[in-house]
Amino acid sequence: MDNSLINKEAKLSEHFNLGELIKTSAKVDNTPSHGIVINLKNLCENWLEDLRYSYNLLYCLKPGEDYEKSKNVEPIIINSGFRSEAVNKAVGGVAGSNHLYGYAVDIRCLGIEQAIRYASILLDIADGKKQEFDELLIERSPKGTYWIHFASRPTNNRRKVKFIQT
């Protein structure tokens, strides 16, 4: 299937659309199946929306400022979401990656402090909602850029939490 035939503006949740979660710089097809779109939707609705809301409430808004009306609200930027087999291979992803099934996202972080804050919020969401996740990895490239790799599956979650320097 041709990726250009899907609606990248389709909403997965209030603040996330399909295009954000399937974008890739690899020059190969990255078209998700209907089941994968459902997995991405679950990830957005059950984790990313809460992360966005909590991060902004705690770190961006002034006391008493309305979340819906504020100009201080920061988006959550997704570096990578779903990856087809071809994309996963092109970007050096691991075999069996949660990205292949729409269970994982890599979230851009402005530095180690933001990465730690995101990770803390995601742990709080898991504990507060009694939801399990598979992986919560703070990753750092040799160039010093940070991101959070976060994955949640329907079953067999491992609650793996690590700091990884690539």
Side-chain angles (χ1 to χ4, degrees), residues 40-86:
L40 293 170
K41 184 175 177 59
N42 288 333
L43 197 58
C44 291
E45 290 176 345
N46 295 317
W47 295 97
L48 298 179
E49 286 293 343
D50 286 347
L51 172 62
R52 183 182 191 275
Y53 177 78
S54 295
Y55 178 78
N56 279 288
L57 194 64
L58 292 168
Y59 301 107
C60 300
L61 300 182
K62 297 174 184 148
E65 193 172 7
D66 188 310
Y67 174 76
E68 297 300 326
K69 296 177 183 174
S70 176
K71 296 194 184 327
N72 295 321
V73 172
E74 292 185 19
I76 300 297
I77 308 294
I78 306 301
N79 287 337
S80 179
F82 166 69
R83 295 179 191 156
S84 65
E85 289 278 355

Side-chain angles (χ1 to χ4, degrees), residues 149-165:
H149 169 85
F150 182 77
S152 179
R153 306 186 290 203
T155 60
N156 301 318
N157 287 294
R158 301 170 290 174
R159 201 173 173 110
K160 178 179 170 185
V161 178
K162 288 177 89 172
F163 177 82
I164 298 173
Q165 186 161 331

